[in-house]
Amino acid sequence: MVSYAWQQTKSSSTCGDSWYTYAKGAYLELNFTGVAVWVGGAWSAEGGIINFVLDDGDMNQVDVYAPTTQCNIVWFEAMGLANTTHTLTGTLNANSPENMNPSPGPYMEIISVV
């Protein structure tokens, strides 16, 4: 499940097919059964701060800013989980403090969830 305001990129974009948003508060929610999870995306000059929470546990804050675009970066991973149902939520929270040009807003580009 994802919130509103997501758009799909074209395969000709820098990182290929992906989903992205500039909407602060936009989120992805992944319900899965298994022992591990990985979320990968792009770091970019527009990158924002993403908060990840697995199973109502501690929040993991990730800054996905980079001066140049980098594709297929692991943003979040968890291994050794119980083989049961889990929920992972990632929320675009804010602009990166490194982002000197925060317009049009914080940015999150998801490439893969495994």
Side-chain angles (χ1 to χ4, degrees):
M1 170 194 311
V2 295
S3 64
Y4 64 94
W6 288 86
Q7 297 179 23
Q8 188 171 15
T9 63
K10 305 285 188 241
S11 59
S12 61
S13 73
T14 302
C15 293
D17 292 333
S18 61
W19 288 87
Y20 72 95
T21 184
Y22 285 98
K24 182 178 175 182
Y27 66 90
L28 69 94
E29 182 178 283
L30 174 65
N31 297 300
F32 68 97
T33 299
V35 297
V37 62
W38 291 267
V39 177
W43 286 354
S44 73
E46 299 172 321
I49 303 292
I50 304 169
N51 295 335
F52 286 99
V53 176
L54 178 63
D55 295 335
D56 295 321
D58 293 335
M59 181 184 65
N60 294 282
Q61 193 171 73
V62 180
D63 186 339
V64 297
Y65 170 85
T68 59
T69 300
Q70 300 174 42
C71 303
N72 299 310
I73 304 297
V74 175
W75 290 345
F76 179 87
E77 66 181 348
M79 297 173 283
L81 303 172
N83 192 13
T84 187
T85 302
H86 302 279
T87 301
L88 174 66
T89 303
T91 304
L92 183 57
N93 184 52
N95 287 323
S96 169
E98 300 294 322
N99 187 345
M100 301 307 288
N101 183 16
S103 179
Y107 179 75
M108 174 167 56
E109 181 176 349
I110 297 173
I111 297 170
S112 61
V113 178
V114 180

